[in-house]
């Protein structure tokens, strides 16, 4: 970005009445009404610094480079992040996020946060996590946490992680806690997916059981040229149940497959809302339904 120390060219109709001093001592001429309109914090700073009506005043914007301050002022003059300014936001994203948070410029803070979130890499995840916490940037914080959980091996190789381990125990503990929470969420989601799959299979088995005994002809799915139908496996299981010698030798017992089939019959009987077999209207033909 081209370096400049005077914003008069952007507002040629008025003379600059504020001098913005940066951390390295450079001075940038600006207009008080532009800064006061964009930021309530800058407005109070200008009011305190001004010694007389329309007198020239000096305010200090510290903590970032002079180029970062100029980029901040340049975007304040535009009152929006134009497409041609997106590269400036990407280059000075952390500085713009810090300045927009400190001086309460909400629209610029959101733009800087979105730009940094989209360009985040594992090498900067730890640094940006700390910045997001200090600047109250939840989207960036969540993105850093997810990136650390997804590719922690790359995060461990970063300078930010090594610095945190040596000098910032609180930040290290926070990141480890985020990783543990992510692992717990993945385990909970895996259990929920397994539970949903089990319920789906049980519902499919119930429908197949009713379908097999739906009429006197029985199920003809096994005659079809497919192995994917659920009726096929269920019919094989019932055939084993009918001929299992272990079940016949020990009524109520039997092998694991017989117990599974018996549990399926019990489950059907507990949810079946059809009439009993001695009712001639809509009898349920599934065995042991009574």
């Amino acid at each position: 970005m081209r370096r400049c120390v005077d914003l008069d060219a952007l507002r040629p109709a008025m003379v600059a009445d504020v001098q913005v001093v940066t951390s390295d001592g450079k001075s940038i001429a600006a207009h008080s009404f532009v800064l006061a309109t964009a930021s309530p914090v800058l407005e109070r700073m200008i009011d305190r610094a001004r010694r007389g009506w329309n007198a020239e005043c000096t305010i200090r914007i510290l903590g970032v480079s002079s180029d970062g301050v100029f980029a901040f002022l340049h975007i304040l003059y535009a009152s929006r992040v134009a497409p041609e300014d997106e590269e400036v936001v990407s280059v000075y994203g952390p500085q713009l996020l810090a300045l927009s948070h400190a001086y309460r410029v909400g629209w610029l803070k959101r733009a800087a946060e979105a730009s940094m979130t989209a360009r985040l890499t594992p090498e900067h995840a730890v640094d940006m996590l700390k910045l997001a916490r200090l600047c109250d940037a939840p989207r960036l914080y969540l993105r850093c946490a997810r990136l650390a959980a997804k590719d922690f091996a790359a995060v461990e190789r970063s300078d930010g992680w090594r610095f945190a381990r040596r000098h910032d125990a609180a930040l290290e503990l926070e990141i480890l806690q985020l990783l543990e929470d992510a692992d717990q969420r993945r385990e909970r989601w895996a259990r929920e997916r397994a539970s949903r799959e089990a319920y789906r299979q049980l519902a499919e088995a119930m429908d197949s059981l009713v379908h097999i005994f739906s009429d006197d002809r029985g199920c003809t799915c096994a005659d079809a040229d497919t192995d994917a139908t659920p009726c096929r496996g269920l019919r094989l299981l019932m055939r084993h149940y009918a001929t299992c010698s272990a079940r016949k030798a020990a009524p109520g017992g039997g092998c694991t497959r017989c117990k599974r089939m018996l549990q399926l019959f019990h489950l059907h009987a507990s949810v079946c809302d059809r009439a009993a077999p001695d009712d001639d209207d809509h009898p349920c033909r599934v065995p042991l339904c009574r």
Side-chain angles (χ1 to χ4, degrees):
M1 184 181 70
R2 184 176 62 87
R3 186 166 176 151
C4 180
V5 295
D6 195 347
L7 294 173
D8 267 342
L10 298 177
R11 299 285 180 180
M14 297 187 64
V15 178
D17 57 350
V18 175
Q19 293 295 324
V20 179
V21 179
T22 62
S23 298
D24 53 4
K26 296 188 180 300
S27 180
I28 303 175
H31 300 82
S32 60
F33 78 95
V34 176
L35 304 186
T37 302
S39 167
V41 179
L42 290 175
E43 181 181 14
R44 289 194 297 268
M45 292 174 62
I46 292 172
D47 290 340
R48 288 195 299 265
R50 182 166 285 160
R51 294 182 176 82
W53 184 253
N54 286 334
E56 182 177 307
C57 64
T58 300
I59 61 174
R60 297 180 180 275
I61 298 181
L62 309 176
V64 301
S65 65
S66 58
D67 288 341
V69 174
F70 180 78
F72 176 65
L73 297 179
H74 177 80
I75 296 178
L76 290 187
Y77 268 76
S79 300
R80 64 187 181 92
V81 180
E84 58 270 16
D85 295 328
E86 292 181 358
E87 183 179 356
V88 176
V89 176
S90 65
V91 173
Y92 299 102
Q95 301 181 51
L96 292 176
L97 178 63
L99 290 175
S100 59
H101 173 72
Y103 296 103
R104 295 173 58 187
V105 186
W107 56 270
L108 180 54
K109 179 179 177 179
R110 290 189 293 271
E113 182 182 7
S115 177
M116 295 171 61
T117 301
R119 295 173 172 83
L120 187 65
T121 60
E123 291 75 16
H124 302 93
V126 176
D127 296 330
M128 294 302 104
L129 180 70
K130 187 172 183 178
L131 179 63
R133 183 181 59 182
L134 294 174
C135 295
D136 189 22
R139 289 179 57 191
L140 180 60
Y141 186 92
L142 181 60
R143 174 59 179 160
C144 292
R146 288 179 175 175
L147 188 59
K150 181 180 179 181
D151 193 3
F152 186 64
V155 173
E156 280 187 312
R157 296 191 296 268
S158 65
D159 295 335
W161 173 253
R162 287 193 288 268
F163 180 86
R165 294 198 63 181
R166 295 172 183 172
H167 307 288
D168 197 340
L171 180 60
E172 179 189 7
L173 182 61
E174 181 179 359
I175 295 174
L176 294 177
Q177 184 63 47
L178 290 173
L179 296 177
E180 183 179 356
D181 293 343
D183 291 338
Q184 292 178 353
R185 283 195 301 271
R186 281 194 293 266
E187 293 176 359
R188 184 174 66 252
W189 294 339
R191 290 195 300 268
E192 291 176 355
R193 286 195 297 268
S195 179
R196 287 195 298 268
E197 178 63 18
Y199 281 119
R200 186 195 64 80
Q201 292 179 0
L202 283 175
E204 193 176 67
M206 291 294 99
D207 293 340
S208 300
L209 193 63
V210 174
H211 172 65
I212 289 173
F213 297 97
S214 59
D215 52 33
D216 295 332
R217 295 177 300 173
C219 174
T220 60
C221 294
D223 300 332
D225 187 17
T226 178
D227 293 333
T229 172
C231 297
R232 179 180 178 86
L234 194 56
R235 291 186 64 178
L236 292 174
L237 188 60
M238 285 189 294
R239 185 177 302 173
H240 169 81
Y241 179 80
T243 59
C244 181
S245 57
R247 183 184 63 84
K248 294 179 180 180
C255 64
T256 304
R257 297 169 65 185
C258 293
K259 292 179 180 179
R260 188 179 304 167
M261 190 66 216
L262 190 60
Q263 290 174 351
L264 196 58
F265 283 138
H266 277 296
L267 180 60
H268 167 78
S270 65
V271 299
C272 182
D273 57 353
R274 300 182 66 179
D278 55 354
D279 194 332
D280 296 333
D281 293 336
H282 298 89
C284 180
R285 299 176 181 272
V286 177
L288 306 180
C289 186
R290 297 185 65 182

